[in-house]
Amino acid sequence: MSDNMKPLIFDTSDGQELRINTINTYLKNQFGGKVVKLSLDGGFTCPNRDGSKGVGGCLFCSASGSGDMADGSGDIFADLDNQIKRLTDKWPEAKYLAYFQSHTNTYAPVDELRQKFYAALEHPKVCGIAIATRPDCIPDDVLDLLAELNEKTFMWVELGLQTMHQDTMDAMNLCYTLKEYDESVGRLLERNIKTVTHLILGLPGETHEMMLESVKHVCSKPIFGLKLHMFNLVKGSQMELTHPDHMSFDSIEEYVDLLISAVELVPPSVTLHRISGDAPRSTLIAPEWSYMKRTILNTIHKEMRNRNTWQGRRL
């Protein structure tokens, strides 16, 4: 492929040429201004914690169910209001998305889900909702509720696949399968529900080629978005005990090189919701540099310009 090809530029509003279709750019265009995602802990658990499928959770998951930065007082409206008040000085004109992040946010009776989701949408500054869940936790009645919400507000559903490789899934105690993921994506897309997939880069035993295979697989379907999350070893996870010396990437440069190779395989229409990882520094074990989110992002964007590449270039 010629290096003289004209690059695909998605956004120049912040003074640099973004060669990635970020969710921030999408939301800015969708709503006409800044949109901030507010993380919530809805008080749910997970079938991989309560014994219905497993115990202890996925090996890499923190005690908070990957919601270390989420508010969870039990009052959804109040949690949103408190976060908005903290952010008003910084973004006085912003709109907000209620993001149900912690644990499995469709793993409860549908009446409970309905009450909590609609409580979030009652806040006057909330313009939409994002719901994170597992591929095996969307029964028909929950799918009907999601379709109902999708008719009333801006919404997407996030599915934590992490990897397409079953051996890795089993080793990480995920307790679901690639087939369940594929079926859930199909059912959500049939109801016109925007779907975002999570992948973790750097899981134990996976080569760079395996990680790129996972990217290709999830992008073979018309998903709305993708999260590419660098693996972080964190305190309180099972892996702190089982894999105490695991290092997902030896350097920022190694991660950036792999990340760019992945982004080149993602269709330009897919919004990228994350291209790094930002575990709280207080719980982070390794890689010790992964908390430097701004440095990692700036390095990615700079290297993409240096290579004259962009999202989707290798398709």
Side-chain angles (χ1 to χ4, degrees), residues 11-23:
D11 194 356
T12 59
S13 61
D14 67 350
Q16 65 174 332
E17 294 183 345
L18 283 182
R19 299 175 177 223
I20 292 174
N21 182 16
T22 69
I23 186 59

Side-chain angles (χ1 to χ4, degrees), residues 225-236:
L226 178 62
K227 280 188 172 181
L228 298 172
H229 193 305
M230 178 195 346
F231 171 81
N232 290 316
L233 182 62
V234 295
K235 297 175 184 177

